[in-house]
Amino acid sequence: MRFIIYPIRVLILLIMALLWLIFGLIVCLCRPMHKGNVYALTQMLCLAQRVIGVKVVLHFDPKSVRKDMPAIFVGLHQSNWDIVTMAHLPQPGLVCVGKKSLLYTPIFGILFFLSGNILLNREKRSKAGDTFLKIVDKIKTKQLSIWMFPEGTRSGYGPVGSFKSGALHTAMLAKVKVIPFVTSTYAGQIDLGRLDNGEVHIKLLEPVEGATLERSQINKANQELRERMIAAMHELDKEVKRPAGYQLPPER
């Protein structure tokens, strides 16, 4: 059965990727760097959830976050499927922060840039500091919300890494909220040759008030945020419907 399901799914995904690229280029070339581009592109990606056989269960109304925007959204990056499983999250005015190397990723890289997302050179710390100041300026002047992954890389099957403090520092300087969202563990859960890949649950947590943060509190607040997100992820993992035979990673 998987020898039928796998090629059909791959073919459909390739066709969708091509259509997404064409649609995305049209949108982004007509209005480059527009604050609504990311929202427009991710809505199309929601369709891919059915194609890959996964049901995304939201424990909140995505539109409810608009009242708290602009804000800093933080989540845990688990796999390359995040762009599909988290496609419901972005709202108009939200852009992502990613590594500059993403620019060289086929198809995705050029759209990531033209969508108005922010590329960060993490290898040069001095320039990264300037970039964060520019991010703060964009939040204040353009009312942008920023999506960050505080681990800096995907954790996948491994334990959740230590959080970098960039999100909280940015929220403190811009005086906006940090809104954490947590996704149930699903690294290795999606198999294109399997008909049903189970569920992925997503939950929003109580925000951190950036306006009341002080520099001396950043490290403690960062650690507390990490612990809160890990605890919430473990709670979600208890109620998720999994494919037969899937085992949770031992160190999450």
Side-chain angles (χ1 to χ4, degrees):
M1 188 71 174
R2 69 178 289 112
F3 297 106
I4 298 174
I5 296 172
Y6 184 87
I8 291 175
R9 273 192 173 144
V10 171
L11 178 60
I12 294 173
L13 289 171
L14 287 174
I15 293 171
M16 290 182 71
L18 180 60
L19 294 174
W20 186 64
L21 175 61
I22 295 170
F23 171 77
L25 285 175
I26 292 172
V27 170
C28 293
L29 289 173
C30 289
R31 53 178 200 181
M33 310 300 178
H34 189 277
K35 63 189 296 184
N37 284 354
V38 172
Y39 175 73
L41 292 179
T42 52
Q43 293 309 292
M44 187 176 178
L45 289 173
C46 293
L47 299 174
Q49 294 171 3
R50 293 186 179 183
V51 176
I52 65 176
V54 69
K55 180 181 179 181
V56 176
V57 179
L58 301 176
H59 293 242
F60 63 99
D61 177 4
K63 294 181 180 179
S64 67
V65 302
R66 296 181 183 183
K67 68 181 186 301
D68 293 319
M69 294 171 69
I72 308 293
F73 291 78
V74 295
L76 303 177
H77 184 14
Q78 293 190 48
S79 88
N80 290 331
W81 289 114
D82 286 350
I83 190 175
V84 173
T85 59
M86 299 180 188
H88 291 287
L89 289 170
Q91 298 300 306
L94 181 143
V95 298
C96 302
V97 172
K99 295 180 290 186
K100 195 173 183 179
S101 58
L102 286 174
L103 186 60
Y104 307 106
T105 304
I107 299 178
F108 178 74
I110 188 64
L111 286 183
F112 188 87
F113 174 70
L114 290 176
S115 298
N117 294 304
I118 299 169
L119 295 170
L120 182 63
N121 189 348
R122 291 198 177 102
E123 294 179 0
K124 298 182 179 180
R125 304 191 71 175
S126 59
K127 288 188 176 182
D130 292 339
T131 301
F132 277 115
L133 291 177
K134 291 178 181 178
I135 291 173
V136 171
D137 181 64
K138 288 183 178 182
I139 293 172
K140 291 182 176 180
T141 59
K142 296 185 177 182
Q143 295 294 290
L144 287 179
S145 292
I146 310 297
W147 187 353
M148 295 181 174
F149 294 105
E151 291 174 275
T153 185
R154 68 173 181 266
S155 52
Y157 271 111
V160 176
S162 59
F163 279 15
K164 294 176 173 60
S165 60
L168 291 180
H169 267 114
T170 304
M172 178 189 70
L173 294 172
K175 299 188 182 307
V176 297
K177 294 180 180 180
V178 174
I179 301 178
F181 64 89
V182 175
T183 306
S184 60
T185 303
Y186 77 95
Q189 180 177 322
I190 297 174
D191 178 355
L192 293 182
R194 182 168 48 212
L195 187 62
D196 183 3
N197 282 310
E199 299 175 342
V200 173
H201 287 226
I202 304 178
K203 180 181 180 180
L204 284 184
L205 306 185
E206 284 296 314
V208 177
E209 294 288 347
T212 59
L213 271 179
E214 297 181 7
R215 195 172 298 274
S216 60
Q217 300 172 326
I218 292 290
N219 289 338
K220 181 181 178 182
N222 208 32
Q223 182 61 28
E224 289 175 349
L225 175 62
R226 180 179 178 273
E227 291 172 358
R228 252 199 318 142
M229 292 178 72
I230 293 173
M233 179 179 61
H234 288 162
E235 285 300 313
L236 283 180
D237 284 341
K238 295 176 182 178
E239 54 186 289
V240 177
K241 175 187 173 184
R242 312 280 186 184
Y246 177 79
Q247 293 184 346
L248 284 172
E251 296 182 359
R252 291 287 299 173

